[in-house]
Amino acid sequence: MLRSRVLGTGSYVPEKVLTNAELESMVETSDDWISSRTGIRERRVAVEESTSDMAARAAKAALKESGVSPKDIDLIVVGTVTPEMAFPSTACAVQSQLGIRAGAAAFDVSAACSGFLYALDIADKYLKAGGVKKALVIGVDRFSQLLDWKDRSTCVLFGDGAGAVVLSAEKGAKGVLSCHIHADGKHWEMLYAKSGLQPSPFDKREAEPAAIRMNGNETFKIAVRTMGQAIKEVLDDTGIKPEDIALLIPHQANLRIINAIRERLDLPEDRVFTNLDKFGNTSAGSIPLALDEAAKQGRVKDGDIVLFVAFGGGLTWASAAIKW
Ligand code: COA
């Protein structure tokens, strides 16, 4: 049986750090409010780099670590909701920037903060089916462009960043064991951003700015519930028990959401990876950015079971288990 094995990970965050203290001078907020309600202390904000620049830099690092040549990539899937172009896709821009071979398939997936796991699920299915041998899966978002910087209830939560993995179809027990993706579009108003397209001269609808709107309290509750369900789904599917989980890498939105999930699973703190204190919620970038940092710190070892769970606008949610 073919499995999608991770051969390398990479990530990229912009250099510019925006601290909670700096946000105090932009909106009526405090470091204490932000860190106690969310766990976030600072985030990165892109200055020069576009979404595709960030994606390409993360992917380049993942390719380098994997030893796979750009000429051998058959598929590029990018999870993002902040592409700099309506088309072509961010995946096509990455293909061009990295010299990935002409003829490889390349496309983006829109699933907000669940974008990376959606992209992973799709790539996994192509790899298992045998048509694709090597795939590049990227999660990237540049939410600084999508924020209303006067809205304190959202602008303190997000940051910019990207992460990537190189997957290879290989025989054996290692690789993606299980992956699940879900959505419930009727709750779209909980968390959304308009696209920013210009109204045409014929438009009768009122123009709305392209900025994130969110019902934070409801989003919080649904996030805890759906991520709990998604973890149960992956455990039931694989027979993995909570005590078998070497590391849980959840979407990095809010430390209180992560702790609620950890408590439900009865996992000790050291088996749940967090880095949202440094990067905030980087949307589709969050899980692969955390994975790369965890791997570089030696927190993911050969043979480990690593679980992933995400939640985002759509509403969307997803989970995956990988044997490292
Ligand atoms: N600084 C200071 N005060 C703030 C603030 C900020 N940045 N943002 C909101 N407030 C105020 C509110 O206006 C409210 O004031 P009021 O009581 O006078 O009306 C008060 O803080 C409490 O707001 P509330 O929304 O009840 O706080 P909360 O404990 O629910 O925390 C969130 C708010 C946004 C941190 C929390 O709901 C959350 O994290 N939700 C999930 C959001 C998320 O992760 N979205 C992405 C999913 S992918």
Side-chain angles (χ1 to χ4, degrees), residues 100-128:
I100 290 170
R101 71 172 180 84
F107 57 90
D108 293 357
V109 178
S110 168
C113 301
S114 310
F116 175 75
L117 292 186
Y118 264 65
L120 181 77
D121 182 67
I122 294 164
D124 179 48
K125 276 160 182 132
Y126 275 99
L127 286 153
K128 273 189 186 149

PDB file of all heavy atoms in Angstrom, residues 100-128:
ATOM      1  N   ILE A 100       9.900  24.630 -10.752  1.00  0.00           N
ATOM      2  CA  ILE A 100       9.291  23.290 -10.756  1.00  0.00           C
ATOM      3  C   ILE A 100       8.863  22.968 -12.183  1.00  0.00           C
ATOM      4  O   ILE A 100       8.404  23.849 -12.923  1.00  0.00           O
ATOM      5  CB  ILE A 100       8.118  23.229  -9.752  1.00  0.00           C
ATOM      6  CG1 ILE A 100       8.710  23.291  -8.331  1.00  0.00           C
ATOM      7  CG2 ILE A 100       7.271  21.969  -9.944  1.00  0.00           C
ATOM      8  CD1 ILE A 100       7.727  23.471  -7.233  1.00  0.00           C
ATOM      9  N   ARG A 101       9.000  21.720 -12.545  1.00  0.00           N
ATOM     10  CA  ARG A 101       8.889  21.336 -13.961  1.00  0.00           C
ATOM     11  C   ARG A 101       7.547  21.733 -14.582  1.00  0.00           C
ATOM     12  O   ARG A 101       6.497  21.647 -13.931  1.00  0.00           O
ATOM     13  CB  ARG A 101       9.127  19.837 -14.130  1.00  0.00           C
ATOM     14  CG  ARG A 101       8.016  18.969 -13.596  1.00  0.00           C
ATOM     15  CD  ARG A 101       8.224  17.509 -13.968  1.00  0.00           C
ATOM     16  NE  ARG A 101       7.138  16.718 -13.424  1.00  0.00           N
ATOM     17  CZ  ARG A 101       5.955  16.567 -14.027  1.00  0.00           C
ATOM     18  NH1 ARG A 101       5.709  17.134 -15.182  1.00  0.00           N
ATOM     19  NH2 ARG A 101       5.015  15.823 -13.468  1.00  0.00           N
ATOM     20  N   ALA A 102       7.617  22.161 -15.835  1.00  0.00           N
ATOM     21  CA  ALA A 102       6.403  22.450 -16.598  1.00  0.00           C
ATOM     22  C   ALA A 102       5.624  21.151 -16.744  1.00  0.00           C
ATOM     23  O   ALA A 102       6.218  20.095 -16.961  1.00  0.00           O
ATOM     24  CB  ALA A 102       6.770  22.998 -17.966  1.00  0.00           C
ATOM     25  N   GLY A 103       4.330  21.226 -16.590  1.00  0.00           N
ATOM     26  CA  GLY A 103       3.506  20.018 -16.718  1.00  0.00           C
ATOM     27  C   GLY A 103       3.041  19.480 -15.379  1.00  0.00           C
ATOM     28  O   GLY A 103       2.088  18.699 -15.327  1.00  0.00           O
ATOM     29  N   ALA A 104       3.702  19.900 -14.279  1.00  0.00           N
ATOM     30  CA  ALA A 104       3.202  19.501 -12.957  1.00  0.00           C
ATOM     31  C   ALA A 104       1.843  20.162 -12.758  1.00  0.00           C
ATOM     32  O   ALA A 104       1.573  21.225 -13.317  1.00  0.00           O
ATOM     33  CB  ALA A 104       4.173  19.965 -11.870  1.00  0.00           C
ATOM     34  N   ALA A 105       0.974  19.535 -11.944  1.00  0.00           N
ATOM     35  CA  ALA A 105      -0.330  20.153 -11.640  1.00  0.00           C
ATOM     36  C   ALA A 105      -0.153  21.143 -10.500  1.00  0.00           C
ATOM     37  O   ALA A 105       0.643  20.884  -9.582  1.00  0.00           O
ATOM     38  CB  ALA A 105      -1.333  19.079 -11.255  1.00  0.00           C
ATOM     39  N   ALA A 106      -0.858  22.273 -10.572  1.00  0.00           N
ATOM     40  CA  ALA A 106      -0.693  23.298  -9.528  1.00  0.00           C
ATOM     41  C   ALA A 106      -2.009  24.027  -9.331  1.00  0.00           C
ATOM     42  O   ALA A 106      -2.592  24.530 -10.290  1.00  0.00           O
ATOM     43  CB  ALA A 106       0.406  24.283  -9.937  1.00  0.00           C
ATOM     44  N   PHE A 107      -2.490  24.049  -8.076  1.00  0.00           N
ATOM     45  CA  PHE A 107      -3.734  24.782  -7.801  1.00  0.00           C
ATOM     46  C   PHE A 107      -3.826  25.148  -6.321  1.00  0.00           C
ATOM     47  O   PHE A 107      -3.120  24.579  -5.488  1.00  0.00           O
ATOM     48  CB  PHE A 107      -4.966  23.964  -8.234  1.00  0.00           C
ATOM     49  CG  PHE A 107      -5.076  22.598  -7.599  1.00  0.00           C
ATOM     50  CD1 PHE A 107      -5.756  22.417  -6.404  1.00  0.00           C
ATOM     51  CD2 PHE A 107      -4.498  21.494  -8.213  1.00  0.00           C
ATOM     52  CE1 PHE A 107      -5.870  21.154  -5.827  1.00  0.00           C
ATOM     53  CE2 PHE A 107      -4.595  20.218  -7.632  1.00  0.00           C
ATOM     54  CZ  PHE A 107      -5.292  20.063  -6.438  1.00  0.00           C
ATOM     55  N   ASP A 108      -4.714  26.120  -6.034  1.00  0.00           N
ATOM     56  CA  ASP A 108      -4.935  26.570  -4.651  1.00  0.00           C
ATOM     57  C   ASP A 108      -6.237  25.982  -4.110  1.00  0.00           C
ATOM     58  O   ASP A 108      -7.152  25.656  -4.867  1.00  0.00           O
ATOM     59  CB  ASP A 108      -5.066  28.097  -4.584  1.00  0.00           C
ATOM     60  CG  ASP A 108      -3.769  28.815  -4.928  1.00  0.00           C
ATOM     61  OD1 ASP A 108      -2.750  28.135  -5.159  1.00  0.00           O
ATOM     62  OD2 ASP A 108      -3.790  30.057  -4.962  1.00  0.00           O
ATOM     63  N   VAL A 109      -6.294  25.908  -2.779  1.00  0.00           N
ATOM     64  CA  VAL A 109      -7.496  25.450  -2.088  1.00  0.00           C
ATOM     65  C   VAL A 109      -7.916  26.531  -1.106  1.00  0.00           C
ATOM     66  O   VAL A 109      -7.079  27.041  -0.355  1.00  0.00           O
ATOM     67  CB  VAL A 109      -7.189  24.158  -1.281  1.00  0.00           C
ATOM     68  CG1 VAL A 109      -8.423  23.702  -0.528  1.00  0.00           C
ATOM     69  CG2 VAL A 109      -6.677  23.067  -2.180  1.00  0.00           C
ATOM     70  N   SER A 110      -9.198  26.890  -1.118  1.00  0.00           N
ATOM     71  CA  SER A 110      -9.705  27.911  -0.205  1.00  0.00           C
ATOM     72  C   SER A 110     -10.467  27.252   0.941  1.00  0.00           C
ATOM     73  O   SER A 110     -11.592  26.791   0.756  1.00  0.00           O
ATOM     74  CB  SER A 110     -10.628  28.856  -0.977  1.00  0.00           C
ATOM     75  OG  SER A 110     -11.334  29.673  -0.083  1.00  0.00           O
ATOM     76  N   ALA A 111      -9.840  27.158   2.094  1.00  0.00           N
ATOM     77  CA  ALA A 111     -10.520  26.594   3.266  1.00  0.00           C
ATOM     78  C   ALA A 111     -10.076  27.342   4.518  1.00  0.00           C
ATOM     79  O   ALA A 111     -10.078  26.787   5.621  1.00  0.00           O
ATOM     80  CB  ALA A 111     -10.247  25.101   3.384  1.00  0.00           C
ATOM     81  N   ALA A 112      -9.661  28.592   4.345  1.00  0.00           N
ATOM     82  CA  ALA A 112      -9.232  29.467   5.448  1.00  0.00           C
ATOM     83  C   ALA A 112      -8.218  28.742   6.342  1.00  0.00           C
ATOM     84  O   ALA A 112      -7.257  28.172   5.829  1.00  0.00           O
ATOM     85  CB  ALA A 112     -10.441  29.990   6.206  1.00  0.00           C
ATOM     86  N   CYS A 113      -8.458  28.748   7.658  1.00  0.00           N
ATOM     87  CA  CYS A 113      -7.444  28.197   8.573  1.00  0.00           C
ATOM     88  C   CYS A 113      -7.300  26.680   8.449  1.00  0.00           C
ATOM     89  O   CYS A 113      -6.332  26.112   8.943  1.00  0.00           O
ATOM     90  CB  CYS A 113      -7.766  28.590  10.006  1.00  0.00           C
ATOM     91  SG  CYS A 113      -7.813  30.378  10.232  1.00  0.00           S
ATOM     92  N   SER A 114      -8.262  26.007   7.799  1.00  0.00           N
ATOM     93  CA  SER A 114      -8.126  24.562   7.561  1.00  0.00           C
ATOM     94  C   SER A 114      -7.402  24.286   6.248  1.00  0.00           C
ATOM     95  O   SER A 114      -7.275  23.127   5.833  1.00  0.00           O
ATOM     96  CB  SER A 114      -9.509  23.898   7.496  1.00  0.00           C
ATOM     97  OG  SER A 114     -10.301  24.257   8.598  1.00  0.00           O
ATOM     98  N   GLY A 115      -6.932  25.330   5.573  1.00  0.00           N
ATOM     99  CA  GLY A 115      -6.402  25.208   4.212  1.00  0.00           C
ATOM    100  C   GLY A 115      -5.269  24.214   4.065  1.00  0.00           C
ATOM    101  O   GLY A 115      -5.218  23.463   3.082  1.00  0.00           O
ATOM    102  N   PHE A 116      -4.349  24.182   5.039  1.00  0.00           N
ATOM    103  CA  PHE A 116      -3.222  23.261   4.891  1.00  0.00           C
ATOM    104  C   PHE A 116      -3.704  21.813   4.961  1.00  0.00           C
ATOM    105  O   PHE A 116      -3.282  20.970   4.159  1.00  0.00           O
ATOM    106  CB  PHE A 116      -2.136  23.512   5.943  1.00  0.00           C
ATOM    107  CG  PHE A 116      -1.025  22.504   5.883  1.00  0.00           C
ATOM    108  CD1 PHE A 116      -0.075  22.562   4.868  1.00  0.00           C
ATOM    109  CD2 PHE A 116      -0.947  21.467   6.804  1.00  0.00           C
ATOM    110  CE1 PHE A 116       0.934  21.608   4.778  1.00  0.00           C
ATOM    111  CE2 PHE A 116       0.059  20.515   6.726  1.00  0.00           C
ATOM    112  CZ  PHE A 116       1.003  20.581   5.719  1.00  0.00           C
ATOM    113  N   LEU A 117      -4.586  21.502   5.906  1.00  0.00           N
ATOM    114  CA  LEU A 117      -5.042  20.103   6.021  1.00  0.00           C
ATOM    115  C   LEU A 117      -5.911  19.706   4.831  1.00  0.00           C
ATOM    116  O   LEU A 117      -5.889  18.557   4.394  1.00  0.00           O
ATOM    117  CB  LEU A 117      -5.763  19.857   7.355  1.00  0.00           C
ATOM    118  CG  LEU A 117      -4.881  19.924   8.609  1.00  0.00           C
ATOM    119  CD1 LEU A 117      -5.673  19.515   9.852  1.00  0.00           C
ATOM    120  CD2 LEU A 117      -3.634  19.046   8.493  1.00  0.00           C
ATOM    121  N   TYR A 118      -6.678  20.659   4.284  1.00  0.00           N
ATOM    122  CA  TYR A 118      -7.408  20.378   3.041  1.00  0.00           C
ATOM    123  C   TYR A 118      -6.415  20.043   1.918  1.00  0.00           C
ATOM    124  O   TYR A 118      -6.598  19.078   1.168  1.00  0.00           O
ATOM    125  CB  TYR A 118      -8.252  21.594   2.631  1.00  0.00           C
ATOM    126  CG  TYR A 118      -9.706  21.543   3.066  1.00  0.00           C
ATOM    127  CD1 TYR A 118     -10.070  21.572   4.411  1.00  0.00           C
ATOM    128  CD2 TYR A 118     -10.728  21.479   2.121  1.00  0.00           C
ATOM    129  CE1 TYR A 118     -11.400  21.545   4.797  1.00  0.00           C
ATOM    130  CE2 TYR A 118     -12.068  21.446   2.503  1.00  0.00           C
ATOM    131  CZ  TYR A 118     -12.400  21.484   3.832  1.00  0.00           C
ATOM    132  OH  TYR A 118     -13.721  21.457   4.205  1.00  0.00           O
ATOM    133  N   ALA A 119      -5.369  20.848   1.807  1.00  0.00           N
ATOM    134  CA  ALA A 119      -4.367  20.634   0.752  1.00  0.00           C
ATOM    135  C   ALA A 119      -3.663  19.286   0.957  1.00  0.00           C
ATOM    136  O   ALA A 119      -3.419  18.538  -0.005  1.00  0.00           O
ATOM    137  CB  ALA A 119      -3.355  21.783   0.758  1.00  0.00           C
ATOM    138  N   LEU A 120      -3.367  18.976   2.218  1.00  0.00           N
ATOM    139  CA  LEU A 120      -2.705  17.698   2.541  1.00  0.00           C
ATOM    140  C   LEU A 120      -3.605  16.531   2.143  1.00  0.00           C
ATOM    141  O   LEU A 120      -3.145  15.542   1.558  1.00  0.00           O
ATOM    142  CB  LEU A 120      -2.403  17.650   4.048  1.00  0.00           C
ATOM    143  CG  LEU A 120      -1.697  16.396   4.545  1.00  0.00           C
ATOM    144  CD1 LEU A 120      -0.213  16.449   4.197  1.00  0.00           C
ATOM    145  CD2 LEU A 120      -1.849  16.237   6.065  1.00  0.00           C
ATOM    146  N   ASP A 121      -4.885  16.638   2.465  1.00  0.00           N
ATOM    147  CA  ASP A 121      -5.834  15.565   2.167  1.00  0.00           C
ATOM    148  C   ASP A 121      -5.894  15.306   0.655  1.00  0.00           C
ATOM    149  O   ASP A 121      -5.861  14.160   0.206  1.00  0.00           O
ATOM    150  CB  ASP A 121      -7.224  15.953   2.690  1.00  0.00           C
ATOM    151  CG  ASP A 121      -8.239  14.857   2.457  1.00  0.00           C
ATOM    152  OD1 ASP A 121      -8.104  13.792   3.074  1.00  0.00           O
ATOM    153  OD2 ASP A 121      -9.148  15.042   1.621  1.00  0.00           O
ATOM    154  N   ILE A 122      -5.956  16.388  -0.115  1.00  0.00           N
ATOM    155  CA  ILE A 122      -6.046  16.251  -1.577  1.00  0.00           C
ATOM    156  C   ILE A 122      -4.761  15.609  -2.124  1.00  0.00           C
ATOM    157  O   ILE A 122      -4.802  14.642  -2.890  1.00  0.00           O
ATOM    158  CB  ILE A 122      -6.286  17.632  -2.233  1.00  0.00           C
ATOM    159  CG1 ILE A 122      -7.656  18.166  -1.822  1.00  0.00           C
ATOM    160  CG2 ILE A 122      -6.164  17.540  -3.758  1.00  0.00           C
ATOM    161  CD1 ILE A 122      -7.847  19.645  -2.079  1.00  0.00           C
ATOM    162  N   ALA A 123      -3.612  16.137  -1.699  1.00  0.00           N
ATOM    163  CA  ALA A 123      -2.333  15.604  -2.184  1.00  0.00           C
ATOM    164  C   ALA A 123      -2.194  14.134  -1.798  1.00  0.00           C
ATOM    165  O   ALA A 123      -1.755  13.300  -2.607  1.00  0.00           O
ATOM    166  CB  ALA A 123      -1.176  16.424  -1.621  1.00  0.00           C
ATOM    167  N   ASP A 124      -2.598  13.807  -0.576  1.00  0.00           N
ATOM    168  CA  ASP A 124      -2.503  12.428  -0.089  1.00  0.00           C
ATOM    169  C   ASP A 124      -3.285  11.484  -1.005  1.00  0.00           C
ATOM    170  O   ASP A 124      -2.827  10.391  -1.332  1.00  0.00           O
ATOM    171  CB  ASP A 124      -3.034  12.371   1.350  1.00  0.00           C
ATOM    172  CG  ASP A 124      -3.002  10.970   1.928  1.00  0.00           C
ATOM    173  OD1 ASP A 124      -1.957  10.313   1.807  1.00  0.00           O
ATOM    174  OD2 ASP A 124      -4.029  10.530   2.492  1.00  0.00           O
ATOM    175  N   LYS A 125      -4.471  11.950  -1.435  1.00  0.00           N
ATOM    176  CA  LYS A 125      -5.299  11.074  -2.278  1.00  0.00           C
ATOM    177  C   LYS A 125      -4.659  10.864  -3.662  1.00  0.00           C
ATOM    178  O   LYS A 125      -4.691   9.757  -4.200  1.00  0.00           O
ATOM    179  CB  LYS A 125      -6.712  11.622  -2.362  1.00  0.00           C
ATOM    180  CG  LYS A 125      -7.442  11.130  -1.120  1.00  0.00           C
ATOM    181  CD  LYS A 125      -8.635  11.768  -0.645  1.00  0.00           C
ATOM    182  CE  LYS A 125      -9.029  11.033   0.633  1.00  0.00           C
ATOM    183  NZ  LYS A 125      -9.340  11.855   1.750  1.00  0.00           N
ATOM    184  N   TYR A 126      -4.061  11.906  -4.211  1.00  0.00           N
ATOM    185  CA  TYR A 126      -3.360  11.754  -5.506  1.00  0.00           C
ATOM    186  C   TYR A 126      -2.158  10.814  -5.357  1.00  0.00           C
ATOM    187  O   TYR A 126      -1.897   9.986  -6.230  1.00  0.00           O
ATOM    188  CB  TYR A 126      -2.873  13.107  -6.016  1.00  0.00           C
ATOM    189  CG  TYR A 126      -3.922  13.869  -6.793  1.00  0.00           C
ATOM    190  CD1 TYR A 126      -4.662  14.881  -6.200  1.00  0.00           C
ATOM    191  CD2 TYR A 126      -4.168  13.572  -8.132  1.00  0.00           C
ATOM    192  CE1 TYR A 126      -5.625  15.579  -6.914  1.00  0.00           C
ATOM    193  CE2 TYR A 126      -5.118  14.255  -8.854  1.00  0.00           C
ATOM    194  CZ  TYR A 126      -5.842  15.257  -8.238  1.00  0.00           C
ATOM    195  OH  TYR A 126      -6.796  15.934  -8.953  1.00  0.00           O
ATOM    196  N   LEU A 127      -1.421  10.969  -4.264  1.00  0.00           N
ATOM    197  CA  LEU A 127      -0.220  10.140  -4.065  1.00  0.00           C
ATOM    198  C   LEU A 127      -0.605   8.676  -3.881  1.00  0.00           C
ATOM    199  O   LEU A 127       0.015   7.782  -4.461  1.00  0.00           O
ATOM    200  CB  LEU A 127       0.562  10.647  -2.843  1.00  0.00           C
ATOM    201  CG  LEU A 127       1.326  11.959  -3.077  1.00  0.00           C
ATOM    202  CD1 LEU A 127       1.515  12.727  -1.774  1.00  0.00           C
ATOM    203  CD2 LEU A 127       2.690  11.698  -3.713  1.00  0.00           C
ATOM    204  N   LYS A 128      -1.639   8.438  -3.090  1.00  0.00           N
ATOM    205  CA  LYS A 128      -2.059   7.053  -2.837  1.00  0.00           C
ATOM    206  C   LYS A 128      -2.596   6.390  -4.098  1.00  0.00           C
ATOM    207  O   LYS A 128      -2.454   5.187  -4.283  1.00  0.00           O
ATOM    208  CB  LYS A 128      -3.172   7.046  -1.786  1.00  0.00           C
ATOM    209  CG  LYS A 128      -2.660   7.002  -0.369  1.00  0.00           C
ATOM    210  CD  LYS A 128      -3.852   6.777   0.519  1.00  0.00           C
ATOM    211  CE  LYS A 128      -3.518   6.847   1.962  1.00  0.00           C
ATOM    212  NZ  LYS A 128      -4.649   7.346   2.740  1.00  0.00           N
TER     213      LYS A 128
END
